[in-house]
Amino acid sequence: MPKHQEVRALPYSVAQMYDLVTDVARYGEFLPWVSAVRVRSNSEDEMVADLIVGFKAIKERFTSRVAKVRNRSVHVDYIDGPLKFLHNDWTFEDDGAGGCRVDFSVEFGFKNRLFETVAGQMFDYALRRMIGAFETRADALYGVSPGINNSSAISAA
């Protein structure tokens, strides 16, 4: 089962990164392979959303429940779709210098072993593209703070 964890130091505030991650309705605008989004419900502490994710002729719908703790964390649990399970966590921590530390982890398993094998081969590439898409979106929305380089990976597992 593919699993990935990464910590990034970013030149954006905790509030900015939290807002970006929880703006699921706009994922189709910047995340690769997301072709449509439908937010079923959304409150201060929870969201349920459908994402249509596709690559070439293959398209799948994923439904997830998103637990939110304002400016602290986002936890995603899979409800329905082609996966056996999906757990995705984001935590945000102020770095004391105007930026933040973002801890991202994801783990999932497909119901179909063949899909899991294929996904495992593309997993690292797909994650790098998606994490890069969040950073590019943050650059576009917030700009890069003067004197601070763009993100730096602190660790990856």
Side-chain angles (χ1 to χ4, degrees):
M1 286 161 248
K3 183 177 183 175
H4 181 84
Q5 181 172 5
E6 193 161 326
V7 178
R8 297 271 177 144
L10 298 171
Y12 310 107
S13 72
V14 165
Q16 287 172 319
M17 291 309 298
Y18 175 87
D19 289 345
L20 173 62
V21 170
T22 59
D23 193 4
V24 174
R26 301 193 111 171
Y27 279 12
E29 296 176 18
F30 68 95
L31 280 180
W33 308 297
V34 175
S35 59
V37 177
R38 181 180 86 179
V39 176
R40 293 184 185 190
S41 64
N42 192 13
S43 70
E44 186 65 24
D45 60 354
E46 184 179 272
M47 174 189 309
V48 175
D50 299 322
L51 270 66
I52 304 294
V53 178
F55 182 73
K56 298 190 181 189
I58 301 170
K59 293 205 186 300
E60 294 286 349
R61 180 181 57 83
F62 295 81
T63 302
S64 298
R65 176 172 286 110
V66 181
K68 305 180 286 183
V69 178
R70 181 96 188 126
N71 294 339
R72 291 192 49 213
S73 66
V74 176
H75 175 76
V76 180
D77 274 321
Y78 175 76
I79 296 174
D80 188 35
L83 299 174
K84 186 177 358 178
F85 71 90
L86 174 120
H87 305 291
N88 177 221
D89 288 292
W90 298 80
T91 58
F92 310 94
E93 185 179 319
D94 190 322
D95 70 3
C100 72
R101 173 186 149 123
V102 178
D103 189 334
F104 168 82
S105 66
V106 63
E107 179 178 15
F108 66 91
F110 278 94
K111 293 175 187 172
N112 181 311
R113 282 230 188 258
L114 177 61
F115 282 148
E116 189 165 310
T117 300
V118 171
Q121 294 170 354
M122 294 184 57
F123 185 67
D124 286 337
Y125 169 74
L127 273 176
R128 280 193 302 276
R129 288 262 330 256
M130 293 186 82
I131 291 167
F134 275 99
E135 291 183 43
T136 299
R137 180 69 168 185
D139 289 348
L141 292 176
Y142 311 127
V144 178
S145 300
I148 299 177
N149 291 333
N150 218 359
S151 75
S152 60
I154 295 173
S155 67

